[in-house]
Amino acid sequence: MRKGNLATSAVKHEQADPKQTRLEQILSFASRGWKLFPIKERDKVPLIDGWPEKATTNVAQLTEWFNKYPNCNWALALGKDSGVFAIDADSKEAEADLHKMGKMPRTFTDKTGRGKHFLFQYPADFIIKNSTGKLAPHLDVKAERGYILVPPSIHPSGAAYEVIDDCDPAPVPQWLLKRLMALQSRNMKRNAEPRTTLGTNSIPKGTRNTTFAKMAGALHRKGLSPDEIEAVLLKRNEVHCIPPMEPEEVRRIVVSITSYDNDDASREDRIILGEAPYAALVPNAEAILKGEELERIYQTLMSHRLVRVIQQKRDPNPDASVKRDPDSSVMAEVDVAYLQLALGRSGRVFKSNSAKQLVPADAPRKLAEMVLSSVRTSPEMTSWFGLKKICQTPVLLASGEIVTQAGYDAGAQIWIDPRGIDFVDPASRNPKLSAVECAKLIETYIHPFASEYSFLRERDCYHWYQTGAFSVVLSAMMSIDDRHNLPVVPMHCVSAPTQACGKTRLVQAICVAVTGTQPTIVTYDGAEEFAKHIPVLLGKADNAICVDNVIMPVNNAKLAALLTQEYAFNYRPLGASADVTIENVSVLFATGVNLQLSGDMPTRCLLARIEPETERPEQKQFKFDQVERARELFPHAVMAIKAVLRAHQLNGFPGAQLLRNPSRFPLWDHRVRAAIVWAGYADPIITQELIRSDDPLRTENLRVLWILREKFRDAPFLTRDVSTLTLESLDVLKQITGHRDGETLNERKVGKYFANHLFERWFEGIRLLKTGKNQGGKVEWRIEAKLDAASFGIEKEEPL
């Protein structure tokens, strides 16, 4: 609705239906691209659940809501999607404070119950967070996942919301943007500093003064006082410097740097082209970009890439081979062009003109290339902050503390992006919960979205939530949430005997309940094709990756290695001569009808098996949408998971004493698997028995061993002796060991199969061993069995 429309509407008001006039006003806001949703009458409480996702500009939906709630209030959902944010001056004094801060442009303004809303265009390269009273008393910022009431709403006091100035929202003035950036920067610094620890951020002797001077200059330009800067540097000195400097030396650095005016950048934090070779300017470029909060550039810990944090829907280079949730936060690799642009945006690159005056200049490509090269070739000489993972919820640290503050946490090296959601700790008063209290949290917040699934009962139990399959659901949620503390985790698989059992929906519900976003989806086209996908999948640091609808047995050496290499995966790109390392902080899922896992995969996986209760599962009607139910539970469900993990940790990991045997994932055993068992649920590791029983390769190996046992009993034999098997048994052995149809017995193939697949491996109480003797240079074998042959269906062998 542009200026003039409101006046026309007012002229018609006496003649037109008042309800129709209200609807026209709502639809006019929507026509500007502003997303709206209904609010309770004379209140500020949403009438719909999930309003951040459901707010819309759709005329049909808005009309439907209007007809359903004819007298309701209306809210404008703010943020990037609507393209606007608001400054809410809740009193005349707050409005006066706003005008004192800088010159206010003309912009869309409306009157509220006690003050005014000023709408501005949302800046393209900056995420504005909601804040209350931090700019000034009663002066609030409403932005991402925030909303304001708009006309024709009625304030709880009875005052009507009215448009005062119906012009288009103005671009945010620079003075206001700087204040918002400084406000967010201070919040991030206060959150990050107490948690910094030694590691990749340590500052060795010889670089301490230079590093501290750069840090002091950056903090000074952001508006921190000398006392605040001194406090930050003294803490950094204590934690990071090897050895620490004298406190008086730190104070001298602060005094020296803060004696300059904020607007006059020190020579270390600017680049003057032509003064020095590009290589000498690399540290200056790093210092500049590290101080620019808008850029958010970090260094990955193992692959030594420069990355930035963005939302998937704003990724300039999306991956065509995978499907990602557009609202998920991902790592985007920083290239030369982006570095040039970021340095140019900083306003700190200069060159001398003909009058020997410094004038702004674009960053040379060669300088940007050297910045990237320094990270790849000598990461120990760079000063970027390390980034391990992106979390969209609060983070449980290894210390047992839960970090809720948005932004970068230097101690954990994690970017926390809660998207404005208010996460409530259910055990803030008493975090050291008992096992019974933890089970109650799981029952309250996790059971509801999984209750419609008929999980296979791997053991005698009365209820679906006592199954190993449901424990796999809990393991998946805990593994995703605690992945930054776990170097490796098993793959979580969901299988069913037929289609339409809700396998993929279960994985989606798990991920939505614990992250608020859908998993990244990829297909499995065989070992070779999937291996090409792995670097692409891991490069964005997804929380969860689902290999969906697998239709072939999975025996993938690359995937097996991916699951057991700590925090990383090594691969060799096509045409390269050396391996490349990529970080792995994701939890992998796989779904499929009668999913089969072979080779080294069964011991690396857990399985949630769904057993449909009807012959036609596609006709089953779920009482609710599992994913939507998980979305409703999300903020509470993920905090319940954190509370259980924290309580188990604070109680000294008591569940570890309840585990009967270790898995291939010792720290996962200690932190996740033990917590599940401690809370009274089944051990998720029991589901590996079902995986092994469905492993076609294991079945083949077992068959070969019992064929050999039937023939040779305890007597030693050579590979060539297998030719004395019955014709039927020999055909089976040749087929399993890779012979072509009609091919004569190849002793070398058989010996290689024995060595690679059977030697010293137990299969249901039987294995193949070497006697230690050779006959004419040939290996001598023997079979060892714990059970009699009758257990494998062989009648003629006497019991051992």
Side-chain angles (χ1 to χ4, degrees):
M1 181 173 61
R2 299 291 184 263
K3 189 174 182 181
N5 291 354
L6 188 63
T8 305
S9 177
V11 171
K12 295 180 179 179
H13 182 67
E14 292 182 357
Q15 302 172 349
D17 182 349
K19 289 186 177 180
Q20 185 64 25
T21 303
R22 284 166 54 87
L23 179 59
E24 288 174 355
Q25 192 168 18
I26 294 161
L27 297 182
S28 69
F29 289 140
S31 69
R32 289 177 154 176
W34 298 352
K35 295 190 173 185
L36 301 151
F37 62 95
I39 297 286
K40 289 183 179 180
E41 184 178 352
R42 294 201 176 198
D43 205 336
K44 295 186 178 183
V45 179
L47 276 168
I48 59 172
D49 294 328
W51 65 264
E53 292 74 32
K54 294 180 181 177
T56 184
T57 59
N58 184 273
V59 173
Q61 180 62 73
L62 292 171
T63 303
E64 179 183 337
W65 283 336
F66 182 85
N67 292 330
K68 186 176 181 180
Y69 311 112
N71 297 316
C72 71
N73 282 347
W74 287 89
L76 163 58
L78 301 161
K80 284 188 181 292
D81 286 345
S82 285
V84 290
F85 74 101
I87 300 295
D88 183 4
D90 213 20
S91 67
K92 291 183 178 180
E93 292 76 16
E95 184 179 351
D97 288 337
L98 180 63
H99 284 280
K100 289 177 184 176
M101 294 177 189
K103 185 178 179 181
M104 281 285 288
R106 185 188 174 197
T107 191
F108 183 96
T109 309
D110 65 10
K111 182 174 75 70
T112 69
R114 293 190 295 264
K116 294 178 182 177
H117 290 148
F118 300 90
L119 263 61
F120 296 96
Q121 296 175 20
Y122 202 108
D125 297 318
F126 184 61
I127 295 178
I128 299 177
K129 303 295 180 67
N130 299 303
S131 66
T132 303
K134 293 184 179 180
L135 282 176
H138 303 291
L139 194 60
D140 304 336
V141 180
K142 302 290 183 70
E144 289 294 331
R145 299 185 79 87
Y147 62 86
I148 58 170
L149 267 59
V150 294
S153 299
I154 304 295
H155 191 269
S157 65
Y161 285 76
E162 298 176 7
V163 175
I164 298 174
D165 193 342
D166 191 29
C167 64
D168 287 331
V172 56
Q174 284 300 308
W175 61 265
L176 178 56
L177 185 58
K178 286 182 179 179
R179 283 181 176 269
L180 295 173
M181 291 169 59
L183 175 65
Q184 186 168 323
S185 173
R186 285 196 293 272
N187 288 339
M188 290 173 62
K189 292 294 180 183
R190 288 166 184 161
N191 178 57
E193 291 305 326
R195 299 184 181 90
T196 38
T197 57
L198 281 174
T200 58
N201 291 330
S202 58
I203 305 172
K205 188 175 182 180
T207 64
R208 298 173 304 177
N209 287 71
T210 302
T211 302
F212 272 42
K214 292 178 181 178
M215 291 165 53
L219 295 173
H220 183 46
R221 287 193 300 277
K222 294 182 186 304
L224 272 69
S225 69
D227 289 341
E228 290 176 314
I229 297 171
E230 182 179 316
V232 170
L233 295 193
L234 286 173
K235 181 64 177 179
R236 286 229 172 191
N237 181 51
E238 177 186 342
V239 175
H240 287 279
C241 287
I242 307 175
M245 294 185 288
E246 292 295 327
E248 188 57 39
E249 189 174 356
V250 175
R251 294 188 183 98
R252 281 198 298 269
I253 293 172
V254 174
V255 171
S256 173
I257 296 299
T258 56
S259 62
Y260 295 98
D261 185 77
N262 257 348
D263 294 328
D264 183 22
S266 68
R267 295 182 73 84
E268 290 178 340
D269 283 345
R270 65 180 177 179
I271 294 171
I272 302 176
L273 302 176
E275 272 197 349
Y278 288 144
L281 297 176
V282 168
N284 300 51
E286 288 182 10
I288 290 169
L289 293 174
K290 279 180 62 180
E292 294 292 324
E293 299 294 350
L294 279 173
E295 306 304 344
R296 294 179 186 161
I297 299 177
Y298 300 93
Q299 178 182 328
T300 56
L301 305 182
M302 294 184 179
S303 60
H304 305 304
R305 298 174 296 144
L306 287 185
V307 295
R308 56 195 179 100
V309 181
I310 62 171
Q311 277 192 314
Q312 169 62 23
K313 60 187 172 186
R314 293 183 171 82
D315 188 352
N317 300 302
D319 303 316
S321 58
V322 300
K323 179 182 177 182
R324 285 188 170 89
D325 189 318
D327 290 329
S328 62
S329 296
V330 296
M331 290 184 191
E333 192 156 354
V334 171
D335 58 15
V336 170
Y338 186 87
L339 284 178
Q340 283 184 277
L341 183 62
L343 285 169
R345 277 197 292 252
S346 73
R348 300 188 184 280
V349 181
F350 302 93
K351 64 179 180 181
S352 296
N353 61 13
S354 57
K356 303 298 184 182
Q357 296 174 325
L358 292 182
V359 295
D362 291 326
R365 180 179 179 85
K366 188 67 175 178
L367 175 58
E369 289 174 344
M370 286 189 171
V371 171
L372 280 182
S373 178
S374 68
V375 176
R376 293 167 182 154
T377 60
S378 53
E380 73 283 355
M381 300 296 291
T382 61
S383 59
W384 298 99
F385 291 120
L387 183 60
K388 182 178 184 180
K389 184 172 169 56
I390 303 170
C391 290
Q392 295 183 268
T393 67
V395 171
L396 174 64
L397 301 181
S399 64
E401 178 188 1
I402 294 179
V403 181
T404 59
Q405 180 65 45
Y408 179 69
D409 187 282
Q413 296 181 306
I414 292 175
W415 177 268
I416 304 173
D417 180 20
R419 296 158 293 164
I421 298 172
D422 186 18
F423 293 92
V424 179
D425 187 347
S428 58
R429 294 185 178 180
N430 178 30
K432 199 173 181 180
L433 300 176
S434 67
V436 173
E437 290 171 318
C438 289
K440 185 65 177 177
L441 279 177
I442 293 172
E443 179 184 350
T444 303
Y445 297 114
I446 312 303
H447 285 200
F449 78 81
S451 61
E452 286 288 285
Y453 283 98
S454 51
F455 294 118
L456 174 69
R457 303 192 178 192
E458 306 90 348
R459 59 175 190 166
D460 293 333
C461 58
Y462 294 102
H463 303 291
W464 59 269
Y465 52 81
Q466 295 173 320
T467 63
F470 178 66
S471 291
V472 173
V473 172
L474 293 178
S475 169
M477 297 181 72
M478 291 182 180
S479 297
I480 291 173
D481 190 72
D482 205 38
R483 185 64 174 90
H484 54 284
N485 292 317
L486 301 171
V488 287
V489 296
M491 184 162 77
H492 295 73
C493 304
V494 182
S495 181
T498 184
Q499 296 284 357
C501 291
K503 303 179 295 298
T504 304
R505 297 292 285 174
L506 178 58
V507 175
Q508 291 172 329
I510 288 169
C511 296
V512 167
V514 80
T515 68
T517 57
Q518 300 264 7
T520 292
I521 301 290
V522 65
T523 57
Y524 186 83
D525 298 321
E528 186 175 341
E529 285 300 314
F530 184 75
K532 298 175 184 177
H533 284 306
I534 291 177
V536 176
L537 288 169
L538 300 183
K540 299 290 180 70
D542 297 289
N543 286 293
I545 298 169
C546 179
V547 187
D548 200 28
N549 288 323
V550 179
I551 59 174
M552 61 187 75
V554 179
N555 182 12
N556 190 324
K558 292 287 187 183
L559 180 56
L562 172 64
L563 293 170
T564 49
Q565 283 185 311
E566 295 190 358
Y567 290 126
F569 174 70
N570 296 325
Y571 69 100
R572 181 165 296 182
L574 186 65
S577 58
D579 284 349
V580 175
T581 299
I582 191 79
E583 288 76 15
N584 175 20
V585 290
S586 304
V587 174
L588 268 68
F589 292 82
T591 70
V593 173
N594 292 322
L595 184 64
Q596 292 183 324
L597 302 156
S598 299
D600 290 329
M601 294 300 297
T603 58
R604 291 167 163 88
C605 300
L606 305 173
L607 179 65
R609 173 90 173 180
I610 301 170
E611 288 292 333
E613 298 171 338
T614 64
E615 294 184 8
R616 302 292 299 274
E618 70 276 5
Q619 295 179 353
K620 177 180 178 179
Q621 295 292 322
F622 283 86
K623 295 178 182 178
F624 52 81
D625 185 294
Q626 309 95 300
V627 178
E628 288 306 310
R629 175 65 62 87
R631 198 180 303 281
E632 294 167 3
L633 291 165
F634 159 56
H636 302 291
V638 68
M639 293 308 293
I641 289 293
K642 293 180 195 296
V644 173
L645 289 170
R646 178 181 59 187
H648 182 243
Q649 182 172 337
L650 295 178
N651 281 289
F653 302 100
Q657 305 301 318
L658 305 175
L659 302 182
R660 294 184 179 180
N661 47 62
S663 76
R664 302 193 68 159
F665 307 91
L667 196 55
W668 171 83
D669 283 349
H670 195 66
R671 293 184 64 87
V672 172
R673 180 184 166 202
I676 294 169
V677 175
W678 176 65
Y681 291 88
D683 188 344
I685 214 73
I686 66 173
T687 64
Q688 288 186 343
E689 289 301 321
L690 184 59
I691 297 175
R692 280 192 285 268
S693 68
D694 287 340
D695 178 359
L697 182 59
R698 186 178 182 85
T699 302
E700 289 179 345
N701 289 337
L702 191 58
R703 191 174 183 185
V704 169
L705 288 170
W706 278 111
I707 286 173
L708 296 173
R709 177 68 175 179
E710 182 182 15
K711 174 66 179 178
F712 300 111
R713 302 291 195 274
D714 294 321
F717 62 93
L718 300 178
T719 305
R720 69 188 179 202
D721 295 333
V722 301
S723 61
T724 63
L725 293 171
T726 66
L727 187 60
E728 180 182 355
S729 294
L730 186 60
D731 284 343
V732 171
L733 184 140
K734 287 166 62 178
Q735 181 181 4
I736 292 174
T737 54
H739 288 66
R740 296 187 301 274
D741 290 342
E743 184 181 358
T744 58
L745 181 68
N746 186 320
E747 293 180 21
R748 188 172 182 179
K749 278 187 179 180
V750 174
K752 187 175 181 180
Y753 188 90
F754 285 179
N756 292 340
H757 295 278
L758 303 179
F759 177 55
E760 288 191 336
R761 294 189 182 185
W762 283 108
F763 294 89
E764 309 296 338
I766 187 170
R767 64 175 175 172
L768 179 68
L769 297 175
K770 295 178 181 178
T771 64
K773 300 178 181 179
N774 293 326
Q775 294 186 26
K778 302 291 185 180
V779 174
E780 190 176 75
W781 306 94
R782 73 177 179 88
I783 297 292
E784 179 181 357
K786 295 180 180 179
L787 304 173
D788 58 39
S791 64
F792 198 70
I794 300 174
E795 300 291 343
K796 56 187 177 182
E797 182 180 4
E798 296 180 0
L800 296 175

